Amino acid sequence: MREHIEQFRAAIHNAGLHPPEVIEPDGKLHRFASNGRPSDDAGWYVFHDDGIPAGAFGDWRGALSETWRADIGRTLSPQEEAAHRACVDAMRREREAEDAGRKAEAREKAAAIWQAAQPASDEHPYLVGKGVKAHGLRVHAEALVVPMRDGAELHSLQFIGPTGEKRFLAGGRVSGCYFPIGKPKAVLCIAEGYATGASILEATGYAVAVAFNAGNLLPVARALRAKFPELRLIVCADDDAMTPGNPGLTKAREAARAVGGVLAAPDFAGTRPEGATDFNDLHRHAGLAAVSDGIARALPVESSPEPDTWPQPRPIIAELKPVPAFDADTLLPEALRAWIMDEAERMPCPPEFIAAAALVALGSIIGARCAIKPKARDSWLIVPNLWGGIVGDPSAKKSPAWGVALKPLDRLIAKALEEHRAALAEYETAKVVFDAQKDAIQGRIKEAAKKPSKGDPAAIARELRAHGEQGPDAPTLRRYKTNDSTVEKLGELLRDNPAGLLVLRDELVGLIATWEREGREGERAFFLEGWNGNQSFDTDRIGRGHIAIPNLCVSIFGGIQPDKLTVYLEQTAHALANDGMLQRFQLLVYPDPRPWEWRDRSPNKAARDAAYAVFETLADFDPLVWGAAPADEFTKFPWFSFDDEAQAVFVEWSEDLHCNRIPNEDEPIIQQHLAKFDKLFPALALVFHLLEGAADGVCGPVSKGAALRAAAWCEFLEAHARRCYGLLKDDGLRAAQALAAKLERGVLKDGFTLRDVRRNQWRNLTADEAIEAALDWLEDEDWLRGEASGGTGPGSGRRTVRYRINPAVKAERKEDAG
């Protein structure tokens, strides 16, 4: 049974959760800290060991729910299959009961917070920024509180921070809940967000129901149509024109069509500001009159296709955000350019993979041996250690790429080992002589103690002490990297290597996830300080005692699979304790895959040797000889500065970052990432400058060319960051792909219902919200068509939606079978 428990634990870990320390095989639902933090209980599991071991697990916060069954090496018999299905049904009932309990707890907590909250002022920073008033909102802990009701009953709350960050009360119900503003008369508007709804109310006087997100427009519209059958419903869309599939407009159109309503969308008349999507953006851009005109132009949604005419189903994919092509001439110094491009073309792999790994490795070699002062007079100091990674599928050649990039580091490691062996031999020889001399002096002390004529024992003892002070020091092996070490051992390595080390991990998400486990808080603090690279750090451990690290400097590099990154982002994006750990991975690249081609040619030896020589030079360079200012009592390291032209480049770049890019960014997680660019630019500029020095003998202040190359990398990496964080925007993609696979295999019959999907408890299709998202996506892409029946009045029965399958899907299924 122990083996099956470990398999179950591994399944939980592979889903991106932190498994519990103890798994009880009692068939009951247990909660655990899915993010490893002591106060968290969002994770849950049920494990049975009766008959064939089976279990289920998930995360309430991320709506993750999966089932698991032990692999017994054969197909189940009908009796075993029936027993297993009964077990799955029991686990589903247990989970549903727990879900109901969580929602009940959330209702109680919501009521308590709402009662204690104070009425919101129109001067709240978020409302001032959006240009709207507080229509019945309250304030709790500086955040606006928006009640979420399905009529009279309060189910949950939405919190909106002063700068716009939003989160829902944990465990609370969202689907079908809304916040009403104003009293409905002849017209009722439905909008996604509060600020959008407030702008519509203030522009038109119409009552508004705030649905909170695009996916909730349809449930809210249906609830309001049932409550107000005579009202004119206007579904007010967010026009997500820059998002693939335009989910705001798509979901609004679907909701309007389903309830016989009309559709309104903001019209920016060709002058749409960057990032503008909704009626509040239109309000701030063109005034309330433009909002009123937009609502007045609401039109009926075009009619649905005829029942027997189906368009071709479209692929179930979510387009990645675009990233620019890799411009080697702009991004790579000449000393690395030919080597990196040659390796990438022969492999083949995206050159970004090798370039990012090489830059992180070079930053780790330079480490804390020198720094840069980004300002001409200020004491602000940046150490050029960097954190980075490469995002790609398992077959994307991530490991071979960074293996190539780190070969120069392996040569340095081999050289350091050889030098250490020679130094150790010299030390052992000197130690033998030292110990013999020590023994001789100690012998003289004993003789003098017996016979005063042999000398003064105290004087000879002082001679012994002086001799001890002249003893040979054991050589310290210079370390460049570590692949797998505890934080305690890493502390010892950094104590002996204060310039810093490179930490390499095959799967970065696994490393980051360990820092969030209960009892690992110290490790998180250790690495956060290690990213800064310029402070001392003391640790005290039983068994290891006190370790004083004079300077804690850590570089990190590794690989990430997109699906694991998505799970991690989902868990951390709305976490209250988000300290920006992932945002510190500034050299994170997620390029388009490179098409495979047969390549078989000799390496460019001249380019390779030139690049390796740069690594070797920087491993032993003297910053003072290269023009760095010396360290002093106020500055810990020798330091470089920008020359006048480079300083002007950095000032202009900084002003654009802090006055334009960050303030105008709507996504908080992108804002947090861009805020870390303050270190990235100077660190990269210093690395590029020292690369020039190693290749061409350039010394002195950091040049304009190095600064411009750093600015180009910052722009390049911003696009890659947006692609990585854009994985959060899948809006049910994984559930939709899972359901599409079931349709292609013919597992579901034409006319199936949501309940038919739920009872199977398929991977990614266990929770109603996930199934609804999948059904909505497949309807949008013409795989399915929902047909409602019942629920129209007394005696009409319960409302049921049955889903018809596009005949093209069934035709493809027959062709595959043939």
Side-chain angles (χ1 to χ4, degrees), residues 591-630:
D592 295 327
R594 186 166 189 164
W596 185 88
E597 295 180 37
W598 174 254
R599 300 285 175 86
D600 185 10
R601 69 168 190 244
S602 299
N604 186 335
K605 186 176 184 300
R608 182 184 63 194
D609 291 346
Y612 284 18
V614 167
F615 278 79
E616 292 169 2
T617 299
L618 290 178
D620 296 317
F621 87 108
D622 184 343
L624 298 180
V625 173
W626 285 33

Side-chain angles (χ1 to χ4, degrees), residues 501-645:
L501 287 173
L502 172 62
V503 174
L504 283 174
R505 289 296 290 263
D506 286 338
E507 182 52 63
L508 280 177
V509 167
L511 173 66
I512 301 172
T514 61
W515 300 338
E516 298 181 358
R517 292 180 185 170
E518 183 177 358
R520 299 289 187 91
E521 296 82 3
E523 293 184 21
R524 193 175 187 85
F526 179 92
F527 280 97
L528 285 171
E529 199 63 61
W531 180 79
N532 294 325
N534 58 9
Q535 298 294 326
S536 62
F537 197 90
D538 291 352
T539 64
D540 296 278
R541 295 288 187 273
I542 296 174
R544 293 184 183 269
H546 176 69
I547 300 175
I549 305 171
N551 190 73
L552 181 57
C553 180
V554 178
S555 303
I556 302 178
F557 195 83
I560 307 178
Q561 294 181 27
D563 56 344
K564 293 185 178 181
L565 178 59
T566 301
V567 171
Y568 179 78
L569 288 170
E570 288 170 345
Q571 292 176 353
T572 60
H574 306 295
L576 294 176
N578 180 14
D579 53 12
M581 181 62 81
L582 186 64
Q583 290 87 331
R584 285 169 166 77
F585 286 84
Q586 296 280 279
L587 263 76
L588 195 63
V589 292
Y590 187 2
D592 295 327
R594 186 166 189 164
W596 185 88
E597 295 180 37
W598 174 254
R599 300 285 175 86
D600 185 10
R601 69 168 190 244
S602 299
N604 186 335
K605 186 176 184 300
R608 182 184 63 194
D609 291 346
Y612 284 18
V614 167
F615 278 79
E616 292 169 2
T617 299
L618 290 178
D620 296 317
F621 87 108
D622 184 343
L624 298 180
V625 173
W626 285 33
D632 55 37
E633 60 179 319
F634 300 107
T635 307
K636 191 173 183 179
F637 316 105
W639 53 275
F640 291 86
S641 60
F642 291 118
D643 66 19
D644 291 343
E645 290 183 321

Side-chain angles (χ1 to χ4, degrees), residues 466-812:
H467 176 74
E469 293 172 353
Q470 298 171 3
D473 292 326
T476 298
L477 173 63
R478 180 174 180 181
R479 293 291 299 269
Y480 289 93
K481 69 179 178 70
T482 178
N483 293 76
D484 185 19
S485 66
T486 64
V487 73
E488 291 81 12
K489 183 59 181 178
L490 183 57
E492 291 183 354
L493 295 175
L494 289 166
R495 176 194 60 196
D496 299 332
N497 295 269
L501 287 173
L502 172 62
V503 174
L504 283 174
R505 289 296 290 263
D506 286 338
E507 182 52 63
L508 280 177
V509 167
L511 173 66
I512 301 172
T514 61
W515 300 338
E516 298 181 358
R517 292 180 185 170
E518 183 177 358
R520 299 289 187 91
E521 296 82 3
E523 293 184 21
R524 193 175 187 85
F526 179 92
F527 280 97
L528 285 171
E529 199 63 61
W531 180 79
N532 294 325
N534 58 9
Q535 298 294 326
S536 62
F537 197 90
D538 291 352
T539 64
D540 296 278
R541 295 288 187 273
I542 296 174
R544 293 184 183 269
H546 176 69
I547 300 175
I549 305 171
N551 190 73
L552 181 57
C553 180
V554 178
S555 303
I556 302 178
F557 195 83
I560 307 178
Q561 294 181 27
D563 56 344
K564 293 185 178 181
L565 178 59
T566 301
V567 171
Y568 179 78
L569 288 170
E570 288 170 345
Q571 292 176 353
T572 60
H574 306 295
L576 294 176
N578 180 14
D579 53 12
M581 181 62 81
L582 186 64
Q583 290 87 331
R584 285 169 166 77
F585 286 84
Q586 296 280 279
L587 263 76
L588 195 63
V589 292
Y590 187 2
D592 295 327
R594 186 166 189 164
W596 185 88
E597 295 180 37
W598 174 254
R599 300 285 175 86
D600 185 10
R601 69 168 190 244
S602 299
N604 186 335
K605 186 176 184 300
R608 182 184 63 194
D609 291 346
Y612 284 18
V614 167
F615 278 79
E616 292 169 2
T617 299
L618 290 178
D620 296 317
F621 87 108
D622 184 343
L624 298 180
V625 173
W626 285 33
D632 55 37
E633 60 179 319
F634 300 107
T635 307
K636 191 173 183 179
F637 316 105
W639 53 275
F640 291 86
S641 60
F642 291 118
D643 66 19
D644 291 343
E645 290 183 321
Q647 188 73 66
V649 171
F650 181 63
V651 170
E652 181 180 355
W653 176 88
S654 296
E655 289 177 346
D656 179 60
L657 177 70
H658 292 283
C659 298
N660 297 316
R661 289 179 181 270
I662 295 177
N664 294 327
E665 177 56 53
D666 293 330
E667 295 289 342
I669 198 166
I670 298 292
Q671 286 183 329
Q672 296 162 12
H673 192 92
L674 293 177
K676 299 293 186 294
F677 274 24
D678 277 332
K679 172 175 178 175
L680 178 64
F681 183 116
L684 285 175
L686 179 56
V687 170
F688 292 137
H689 177 65
L690 295 178
L691 275 168
E692 293 174 4
D696 305 325
V698 176
C699 297
V702 176
S703 67
K704 179 182 179 181
L708 289 173
R709 183 162 280 121
W713 266 96
C714 288
E715 182 176 357
F716 179 76
L717 291 168
E718 180 182 340
H720 282 263
R722 291 184 183 279
R723 170 172 283 191
C724 291
Y725 295 123
L727 294 172
L728 279 171
K729 304 292 185 181
D730 75 349
D731 196 22
L733 171 64
R734 284 179 290 171
Q737 290 174 329
L739 185 54
K742 300 300 179 185
L743 295 174
E744 289 175 329
R745 288 170 52 195
V747 178
L748 291 166
K749 304 298 183 184
D750 202 43
F752 72 91
T753 66
L754 183 151
R755 185 180 178 187
D756 294 330
V757 179
R758 186 211 303 135
R759 67 160 57 99
N760 284 285
Q761 290 293 289
W762 289 315
R763 182 184 175 91
N764 294 322
L765 293 167
T766 56
D768 282 3
E769 290 182 359
I771 299 171
E772 288 170 356
L775 293 168
D776 290 344
W777 192 305
L778 293 180
E779 279 197 276
D780 293 340
E781 302 303 329
D782 296 316
W783 286 60
L784 299 174
R785 187 175 296 161
E787 296 179 349
S789 62
T792 58
S796 62
R798 182 177 177 180
R799 178 180 173 82
T800 302
V801 179
R802 295 191 174 276
Y803 292 90
R804 293 184 58 195
I805 303 172
N806 189 325
V809 176
K810 292 185 280 186
E812 290 175 7

